[in-house]
Amino acid sequence: QVQLVESGGGSVQAGGSLRLSCAASEYTYSSYCMGWFRQAPGKEGEGVATIDKNGLTRYADSVKGRFTISKDDAKNTLYLQMNSLKPEDTAMYYCAADRVCRSTFWFYRGQGTQVTVYS
């Protein structure tokens, strides 16, 4: 059972930055695709970014050029660097893992960390 724990959320003014972290309970990155997705109240979930076991990254069009996904295998940690944040980025952000890359329906997911961007 893979356990994922997110941290790093918070409130930030538009234009600011936050870095989310996700610690995994076991070594996942050599076998799993890892990713972030988000869920805003009253909206459908949205896949944000993925990084596969080979390090290939993909991003939602809404965050391209602003967000960067990365991982530190030695620390079993996944990151999401979020720059130039906008109010529409406000959501609960979830770390996730699966054998294949997904959008929102991942086999493993964390409890989420809230990101609030105010104008």
Side-chain angles (χ1 to χ4, degrees):
Q1 180 78 15
V2 175
Q3 292 186 334
L4 304 168
V5 180
E6 303 95 337
S7 61
S11 294
V12 64
Q13 193 169 20
S17 298
L18 284 173
R19 189 176 80 155
L20 306 183
S21 299
C22 172
S25 61
E26 62 181 66
Y27 189 65
T28 59
Y29 303 117
S30 64
S31 302
Y32 288 79
C33 181
M34 308 293 297
W36 295 92
F37 70 95
R38 63 189 182 186
Q39 178 90 53
K43 295 185 179 180
E44 292 188 359
E46 177 188 21
V48 174
T50 61
I51 183 166
D52 71 12
K53 60 183 180 180
N54 297 313
L56 178 66
T57 59
R58 291 193 172 138
Y59 298 91
D61 288 342
S62 59
V63 306
K64 275 181 184 175
R66 300 188 298 121
F67 290 11
T68 302
I69 188 170
S70 62
K71 58 182 180 173
D72 185 331
D73 291 351
K75 296 182 179 180
N76 281 3
T77 302
L78 180 73
Y79 302 100
L80 184 69
Q81 178 67 44
M82 305 185 295
N83 298 328
S84 302
L85 282 161
K86 304 175 181 179
E88 51 263 44
D89 294 319
T90 295
M92 185 72 80
Y93 283 71
Y94 297 91
C95 170
D98 207 325
R99 292 290 181 180
V100 296
C101 295
R102 308 286 185 188
S103 177
T104 53
F105 296 101
W106 296 74
F107 193 81
Y108 298 107
R109 55 180 273 182
Q111 302 240 350
T113 186
Q114 178 67 38
V115 171
T116 301
V117 184
Y118 56 92
S119 55

